[in-house]
Amino acid sequence: MKNVQEVKFSLYAVVNTGTNFVYDVALNRRDARASLQAVKIDREESGMKGSEVKILKLTTAKVIR
């Protein structure tokens, strides 16, 4: 990894915004959207609110090495 200036990749998480629980992590938006729909269906069937579940795009805050 000599002379690497920047590495970019997208990472998405399906998260419950009320409890900060992560349901799934996906490498692309399409997979995250499919996971979001599955989680919302499961939550609605169990009687919970589906509106608390969101997709968050994860970014790098700090490079360790």
Side-chain angles (χ1 to χ4, degrees), residues 9 11 17 19 27 31 34-36 41 46 48 51-52 56-57 60 65:
F9 62 93
L11 193 62
T17 57
T19 62
L27 292 175
D31 291 344
S35 295
L36 176 68
I41 290 170
S46 64
M48 301 171 90
S51 62
E52 293 179 347
L56 299 178
K57 184 174 183 180
T60 314
R65 272 196 151 161

Side-chain angles (χ1 to χ4, degrees), residues 15-34:
V15 178
N16 182 333
T17 57
T19 62
N20 296 328
F21 180 78
V22 177
Y23 290 102
D24 192 23
V25 176
L27 292 175
N28 58 44
R29 179 94 174 139
R30 184 184 63 220
D31 291 344
R33 184 76 180 141

